[in-house]
């Protein structure tokens, strides 16, 4: 039986159900059938949306770069980010991928006028009174290893906190870290593969 759900992966949790070194995994938060795995990954130190499924077709379409699915990230960076830095991010920057330099594809970048309302992180970001931070929204259509972190570092604003907010029309709007929502097959394919220009909010 095909199974679909979205989850909000907490900070410092592996995007898998087993660990050989004692780190927390998805199994510490979510109970799913044994043949269900994450379609794609988030870094251990990143948070946000993961799709869990045993549907091989959906998994293939979601991970195949030729489909260029939008992935929206909310990124807190170290320092007051400049317009120039955001422009450079949009146009593409050079990052190291598997020992080779790679030019990132053009993407969409915009500042948050006020910090977004997001769940508290445990442990929290270290507060430094005299050094500001900024929140930006980045919408990518590719997903190289630790790409967002490498990109913001390349323009001089290291990432402090990284949350994947949505993939296509599927978002974590109504979820808290450690929560999940089961989807029907129709919902999963609609949210992930249709209506690129009109992101819907997923309600619990």
């Amino acid at each position: 039986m095909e199974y679909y759900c979205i989850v909000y992966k907490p900070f410092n949790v592996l995007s898998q159900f087993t660990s050989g070194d004692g780190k927390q995994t998805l199994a510490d938060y979510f109970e799913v059938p044994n043949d269900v795995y994450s379609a794609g990954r988030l870094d251990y130190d990143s948070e946000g949306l993961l799709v869990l499924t045993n549907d091989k077709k959906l998994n293939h379409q979601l991970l195949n770069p030729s489909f260029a699915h939008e992935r929206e990230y909310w990124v807190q960076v170290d320092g007051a980010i400049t317009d120039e830095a955001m422009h450079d991010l949009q146009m593409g920057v050079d990052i190291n991928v598997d020992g080779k330099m790679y030019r990132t594809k053009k993407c969409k970048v915009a500042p948050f006028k006020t910090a977004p309302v997001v769940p508290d992180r445990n442990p929290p970001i270290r507060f430094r009174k005299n050094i500001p931070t900024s929140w930006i929204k980045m919408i990518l259509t590719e997903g190289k290893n630790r790409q967002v972190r490498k990109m913001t570092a390349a323009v001089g604003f290291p990432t402090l906190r990284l949350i994947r907010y949505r993939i296509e029309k599927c978002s974590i709007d109504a979820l808290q870290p450690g929560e999940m929502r089961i989807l029907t097959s129709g919902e999963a394919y609609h949210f992930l593969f249709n209506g690129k220009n009109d992101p819907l909010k997923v309600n619990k």
Side-chain angles (χ1 to χ4, degrees), residues 58-93:
L58 182 142
N59 186 72
H60 168 73
Q61 291 188 19
L62 200 58
L63 299 183
N64 189 324
S66 67
F67 288 95
H69 302 300
E70 280 194 354
R71 293 166 170 82
E72 179 176 330
Y73 298 89
W74 292 3
V75 193
Q76 185 181 21
V77 299
D78 199 2
I81 194 165
T82 63
D83 291 341
E84 180 183 6
M86 287 189 287
H87 177 265
D88 289 345
L89 290 172
Q90 289 186 93
M91 299 306 294
V93 296

Side-chain angles (χ1 to χ4, degrees), residues 49-60:
L49 180 66
L50 280 176
V51 178
L52 306 184
T53 187
N54 55 5
D55 182 340
K56 293 181 180 179
K57 177 185 174 184
L58 182 142
N59 186 72
H60 168 73

Side-chain angles (χ1 to χ4, degrees), residues 129-182:
K129 185 177 181 180
N130 297 320
I131 300 178
T133 67
S134 311
W135 281 93
I136 59 173
K137 178 186 300 183
M138 296 181 64
I139 301 176
L140 279 61
T141 56
E142 58 179 344
K144 303 296 183 183
N145 183 40
R146 298 184 72 81
Q147 179 170 342
V148 171
R149 295 178 186 276
K150 291 176 181 178
M151 288 177 70
T152 66
V155 297
F157 294 90
T159 292
L160 298 174
R161 187 174 182 186
L162 179 58
I163 301 171
R164 182 158 66 196
Y165 171 70
R166 72 171 172 91
I167 301 173
E168 288 295 341
K169 297 198 304 179
C170 196
S171 83
I172 53 169
D173 244 3
L175 298 177
Q176 291 292 310
E179 292 184 348
M180 68 184 294
R181 182 199 168 188
I182 296 175

